[in-house]
Amino acid sequence: MTAFIIRRLLQAVLVMLVVALIAFLMFRFVGDPINQMVGIETTPEQREALRVRLGLRDPILVQLARFIWNAAQFNFGTSYQFKQPVSEMILQRMPATLELSMVSAIFALIVGIPMGVYTGIRREAWLSKLFLTVSLVGISLPPFLIGILLIFIFAVNLQILPSFGRGQVVDLGFWSTGLLTVSGLKALILPAITLGLFQLTLIMRLVRSEMLEVLRTDYIKFARARGLTERAVNFGHALKNTMIPVITVTGLQLGSIIAFAIITETVFQWPGMGLLFLQSVQNVDIPIMAAYLMLIAFLFVVINLIVDILYTVVDPRVRLDGGAAV
Amino acid sequence: MSDPLLQVRDLVVEFPTRRGTLTAVDKVSFDIAPGEVLGVVGESGAGKSLTGTAIINLLEPPGRIGGGEVILQGERIDNLPQEEMRKIRGKRIGMVFQDPLTSLNPLYTIGEQLTETIQTHMKLTDAAARIRAIELLSEVGIPAPESRIDAYPHQFSGGMRQRVVIALALAANPVLVLADEPTTALDVSVQAQIIALLKKTCAEHGAAVMLITHDMGVIAETADRVAVMYAGRIVEIGPVREVIKNAKHPYTDGLMASIPSLTHEAERLAQIEGSMPRLTAIPDGCAFHPRCPQAFDRCRRERPELLDADTTQAACWLYAKEEAVT
């Protein structure tokens, strides 16, 4: 088990190095950073001096090594536009994005799994058919449209929920949370639904198809023949067997939720990393883009590692130290 | 003779389809005495397994019981509500399935599956249920049951898993065990062991066995009586010795003649011309008449009931009493 985790960690480092290379290349190919920083009236001599001072005249490999070294210490330089350290700006906005992502992921799981189980067990019930039809909406409508629709209904027409922002936040030192105030919670509802709806329908359909698959297996028939209660058969035996693909997809989707919170954050003007990233794209603020790229890659790598470890918790056959057959 | 343990009366299993209802098991009647081993033989598709599945009321939709009665210890069980029927499954009727590799849930240890079954039907503490599980495992010949109880199904071989399945079927001391092709998926070398084990443990627990198989050798060694099925009907039923040595029905006769023998050397095995009719095209009268060498006019018109034929009962007009023919 330990060897397995160490091997996975080494692979993770490799992935991060490759991503760092790509992020670094952005600096080289997306325009001249000096042009972004200085005004028109700067003389060529001053530009050259700045270039040397920033280390842009050093050999590329030296620059790359410096970039990786800095990135490993969570130092991504200074934003061209805001003239602030990038890592500080990202840390400021990270709680907003992570809270939004976690809440929508939990929402998607808590609603999606039971709906999937229900539609899998009661295939013919009208409620199942309703769920499936509605889930088509969740899959086919783009999130920004859903967000705007929700704003239209709940913020504009009914005026019961705010249409933008995070509401009142409580600062806990390095983490500012909106989960502790009523206005913060209210502000979270619409963006969380918008962001989680696609994942919810995905999880529901996945659980449903896995349930249908598992309920056909011999061990479920045998569990029934042993006289186990419907509850034990459906939840103890069937649901647990659907969990491997659900964990995989949920893990990957969690990464996507964080990465693609961009759109939802823009629609709801949510002060998170996604909104920051979108602004940085508009301003060709490469340090922020590079940092964001590295951060998202890091999240995916960590989530994948957790998913792999969870497999072994759920399925004994994946456990690498398991005994051999008699 | 004592009262029968299980009475099956005119049992019909049917499948509604778009082109009309197909009758897969057609008015099957038989008794099983307490402690008796009844073998059920027939070709694939003769309705053997469906008969067993119908008794325990686990037909897969759209299959359903279309008529008849199943009476267990004087109590009619075919029309019980699901919850009542569930309490009979495992508790009074145990079941052993064909493929031990897929009968056990891969995510639970065999101990968990055993204690779960035991505690569903008996009020036992966790510790007492575990002790009983270990006893059962040792009874079915699992070596070192105290340690193997915490192993997962994939850590056992096929033969060992079928032993576990037998232990599961016997977990709550049922009065009847339905064994549906319990050796078909096993290596030839362990088939005999499993059959001997099944017979021995069921005898020790005082359970009657309905042994469904297409292997006449297994029946000859194990069963007290045998029922021969053809196209969803019982064509002959009687003591195993009589049916094998002295078959009355032309189909049974043909079936016995087709078994290769160690003592007689033959160029070709005897065979019955033609094949079993499809469910959509079961002929009028006796279902076997198109293939029967002794068929006469009445066989084409009227379906024969089981008639006394010396030592066995055969569904064949050859054994109609003289006065009945007129």
Side-chain angles (χ1 to χ4, degrees):
Chain A
M1 191 68 193
T2 327
F4 164 76
I5 292 175
I6 290 173
R7 201 162 54 233
R8 273 304 149 100
L9 282 176
L10 287 178
Q11 286 170 354
V13 169
L14 195 69
V15 170
M16 288 312 295
L17 283 176
V18 172
V19 174
L21 181 67
I22 295 170
F24 173 73
L25 287 177
M26 279 204 309
F27 284 96
R28 310 288 308 172
F29 293 113
V30 187
D32 181 1
I34 301 297
N35 273 342
Q36 304 285 337
M37 286 182 226
V38 298
I40 306 170
E41 64 276 14
T42 320
T43 62
E45 289 75 32
Q46 283 172 315
R47 285 171 185 245
E48 188 56 32
L50 186 60
R51 208 172 290 260
V52 173
R53 190 158 60 80
L54 289 178
L56 295 176
R57 280 283 175 241
D58 295 338
I60 287 183
L61 281 180
V62 174
Q63 289 188 41
L64 175 62
R66 190 189 299 131
F67 175 79
I68 291 173
W69 180 244
N70 285 335
Q73 296 167 315
F74 202 61
N75 173 7
F76 294 97
T78 309
S79 157
Y80 296 159
Q81 191 199 357
F82 300 101
K83 315 290 184 217
Q84 278 177 344
V86 170
S87 43
E88 214 170 88
M89 296 180 66
I90 285 194
L91 275 183
Q92 259 173 19
R93 288 165 174 78
M94 191 143 58
T97 298
L98 289 187
E99 270 179 15
L100 174 61
S101 309
M102 290 304 153
V103 169
S104 43
I106 290 167
F107 159 71
L109 282 175
I110 287 182
V111 181
I113 291 181
M115 277 169 80
V117 172
Y118 182 82
T119 50
I121 297 172
R122 304 248 174 283
R123 253 174 303 171
E124 299 302 322
W126 65 268
L127 196 57
S128 298
K129 289 173 181 160
L130 181 76
F131 282 163
L132 283 178
T133 316
V134 172
S135 77
L136 271 182
V137 176
I139 286 203
S140 42
L141 280 189
F144 70 86
L145 198 60
I146 292 172
I148 291 170
L149 278 175
L150 288 177
I151 289 177
F152 180 71
I153 297 171
F154 292 99
V156 178
N157 281 351
L158 299 176
Q159 303 207 334
I160 48 176
L161 293 170
S163 64
F164 69 90
R166 264 188 102 189
Q168 196 122 35
V169 293
V170 179
D171 203 345
L172 305 172
F174 67 99
W175 190 275
S176 66
T177 177
L179 297 177
L180 297 177
T181 63
V182 176
S183 74
L185 287 174
K186 278 173 85 175
L188 195 55
I189 294 175
L190 292 186
I193 291 177
T194 307
L195 189 55
L197 198 62
F198 177 78
Q199 330 294 336
L200 185 155
T201 50
L202 196 72
I203 288 170
M204 180 194 120
R205 285 175 166 261
L206 183 73
V207 170
R208 174 178 181 271
S209 65
E210 290 293 323
M211 281 295 279
L212 292 180
E213 191 78 22
V214 169
L215 287 174
R216 270 201 297 270
T217 58
D218 283 354
Y219 55 81
I220 293 300
K221 206 174 167 193
F222 188 51
R224 291 227 163 86
R226 284 190 275 145
L228 302 185
T229 58
E230 275 301 295
R231 193 189 166 80
V233 171
N234 288 333
F235 292 93
H237 287 265
L239 185 61
K240 194 173 178 191
N241 272 286
T242 67
M243 280 300 114
I244 286 269
V246 173
I247 289 173
T248 314
V249 170
T250 310
L252 292 177
Q253 288 301 316
L254 186 63
S256 312
I257 286 183
I258 298 170
F260 303 127
I262 297 172
I263 294 166
T264 309
E265 287 184 6
T266 311
V267 171
F268 289 93
Q269 288 298 299
W270 189 263
M273 297 187 294
L275 195 58
L276 178 71
F277 174 74
L278 211 68
Q279 288 164 349
S280 73
V281 169
Q282 282 158 358
N283 301 317
V284 203
D285 202 337
I286 295 167
I288 294 183
M289 286 156 68
Y292 188 76
L293 182 66
M294 297 282 294
L295 194 69
I296 295 301
F298 181 70
L299 280 173
F300 267 91
V301 165
V302 170
I303 288 168
N304 270 319
L305 185 66
I306 294 173
V307 164
D308 279 341
I309 294 170
L310 272 185
Y311 283 167
T312 65
V313 175
V314 175
D315 193 340
R317 288 167 297 183
V318 190
R319 264 168 233 167
L320 297 152
D321 53 355
V326 174
Chain B
M1 203 169 127
S2 54
D3 283 345
L5 175 77
L6 181 84
Q7 292 170 281
V8 176
R9 291 282 165 269
D10 293 331
L11 181 70
V12 175
V13 175
E14 54 187 25
F15 289 84
T17 67
R18 260 180 228 154
R19 289 200 217 136
T21 303
L22 301 179
T23 308
V25 174
D26 196 357
K27 293 197 175 167
V28 162
S29 301
F30 60 88
D31 291 349
I32 300 180
E36 181 187 42
V37 179
L38 175 75
V40 179
V41 279
E43 297 170 52
S44 302
K48 320 181 289 287
S49 292
L50 282 174
T51 306
T53 322
I55 289 172
I56 202 166
N57 209 340
L58 274 180
L59 290 168
E60 303 259 345
R64 61 175 189 220
I65 297 179
E69 294 179 6
V70 180
I71 297 158
L72 180 70
Q73 295 175 316
E75 178 198 359
R76 193 165 166 195
I77 61 168
D78 59 289
N79 54 0
L80 286 180
Q82 275 300 316
E83 180 56 22
E84 294 302 305
M85 192 60 213
R86 179 189 70 70
K87 288 179 185 155
I88 289 177
R89 287 184 210 125
K91 172 84 182 148
R92 291 164 69 192
I93 305 179
M95 191 147 185
V96 176
F97 281 109
Q98 180 172 354
D99 190 352
L101 299 183
T102 56
S103 298
L104 299 169
N105 190 330
L107 303 189
Y108 291 98
T109 65
I110 58 162
E112 284 165 345
Q113 302 190 42
L114 270 165
T115 48
E116 179 186 31
T117 314
I118 293 167
Q119 287 184 315
T120 301
H121 299 296
M122 300 168 142
K123 286 202 187 313
L124 286 181
T125 61
D126 291 355
R130 190 179 161 88
I131 289 171
R132 177 162 173 82
I134 292 174
E135 280 169 13
L136 282 163
L137 287 178
S138 114
E139 220 177 297
V140 295
I142 302 281
E146 297 84 3
S147 58
R148 299 297 285 163
I149 188 170
D150 294 316
Y152 286 93
H154 70 276
Q155 295 166 318
F156 287 82
S157 67
M160 283 294 160
R161 279 191 229 188
Q162 195 65 307
R163 286 169 190 264
V164 173
V165 170
I166 292 173
L168 276 165
L170 290 170
N173 284 326
V175 289
L176 173 67
V177 171
L178 303 180
D180 189 355
E181 311 242 6
T183 57
T184 309
L186 297 175
D187 282 350
V188 180
S189 52
V190 291
Q191 284 184 356
Q193 292 172 20
I194 294 296
I195 282 294
L197 175 78
L198 184 71
K199 188 171 183 181
K200 180 179 91 91
T201 48
C202 288
E204 282 166 5
H205 284 252
V209 182
M210 178 173 161
L211 179 62
I212 298 163
T213 180
H214 53 244
D215 187 338
M216 280 309 298
V218 165
I219 295 281
E221 278 171 46
T222 321
D224 302 316
R225 286 193 307 140
V226 58
V228 182
M229 288 191 73
Y230 180 81
R233 302 164 188 187
I234 290 183
V235 293
E236 183 159 6
I237 184 166
V240 70
R241 197 141 268 288
E242 293 302 320
V243 173
I244 287 177
K245 295 274 183 233
N246 202 1
K248 299 296 185 298
H249 195 284
Y251 174 67
T252 321
D253 206 26
L255 200 64
M256 297 306 151
S258 66
I259 297 172
S261 163
L262 286 176
T263 47
H264 307 282
E265 206 158 308
E267 279 291 299
R268 290 176 64 94
L269 292 173
Q271 64 173 35
I272 309 174
E273 290 296 324
S275 59
M276 201 168 69
R278 296 153 66 97
L279 282 183
T280 46
I282 292 183
D284 290 338
C286 172
F288 185 61
H289 83 254
R291 300 169 72 189
C292 181
Q294 300 173 59
F296 51 97
D297 200 36
R298 192 174 184 184
C299 304
R300 292 178 192 86
R301 283 185 285 110
E302 285 175 74
R303 178 181 161 184
E305 297 296 318
L306 280 174
L307 302 166
D308 283 330
D310 197 4
T311 46
T312 74
Q313 288 182 301
C316 181
W317 288 126
L318 288 175
Y319 302 98
K321 299 241 163 40
E322 286 306 319
E323 59 270 23
V325 176
T326 55

